[in-house]
Amino acid sequence: TLSARLAGSPEAAVGAWLQCLDDGDLGVPMPPPVVVSRGDESRAGYERLILPPGLRERVTRVERTALEYTVLNPAWRTCYPAHTHRGEVAFAPCEDAGGGACTRMVWRVCVRPQRYGRWAVELLTTLIVPAFARNLAARRASDEGREVDAGVEWCWS
């Protein structure tokens, strides 16, 4: 589970999260993703392919202040040795010491590693999810003309 503080409203944070996913700006150096499907008007059904290693991700639900996604093909051959990977991201208003709008993002990752794959799954997830959150916090702060104060907290449970 990851928790982070973002500048602005929860609705703006959901939009920025989807934009980071779309443009591949995850905070870690990777080639831009190939968009397989743009999904519906809410962006549910949005699907992207990450090359290499051929990993496919799909946004399965988008609401005003929450979204869910899944990895469609986790496996050793895609360098993510898991049976399943599903993420739930919720955005709620919070108090900002400076009086500006603030959002608390809580990102829950549910993953079932394959045999002998736990180390790789934990390494990759621990690298990518917090980097994405820090990058999203910087993007939201820039959009709001504020300093970055993400307060990113990450733990396995």
Side-chain angles (χ1 to χ4, degrees), residues 11-117:
E11 295 83 1
V14 169
W17 194 99
L18 290 165
Q19 186 59 45
C20 283
L21 190 70
D22 193 34
D23 61 25
D25 192 9
L26 307 181
V28 292
M30 294 172 60
V34 175
V35 176
V36 176
S37 171
R38 292 256 171 227
D40 65 16
E41 188 175 305
S42 75
R43 304 283 296 275
Y46 173 91
E47 188 176 320
R48 70 187 201 143
L49 173 64
I50 301 167
L51 294 171
L55 199 67
R56 291 177 71 156
E57 298 173 322
R58 178 181 293 153
V59 175
T60 55
R61 180 178 67 92
V62 179
E63 295 180 357
R64 199 171 61 81
T65 60
L67 57 89
E68 293 178 359
Y69 70 92
T70 189
V71 174
L72 296 174
N73 62 341
W76 281 102
R77 66 176 160 55
T78 59
C79 300
Y80 195 78
H83 294 287
T84 59
H85 173 113
R86 185 174 51 81
E88 302 168 350
V89 190
F91 302 86
C94 65
E95 293 291 320
D96 184 297
C102 177
T103 295
R104 171 65 58 192
M105 175 180 69
V106 176
W107 187 336
R108 187 170 157 232
V109 176
C110 302
V111 63
R112 191 169 63 105
Q114 291 184 2
R115 182 180 226 168
Y116 307 118

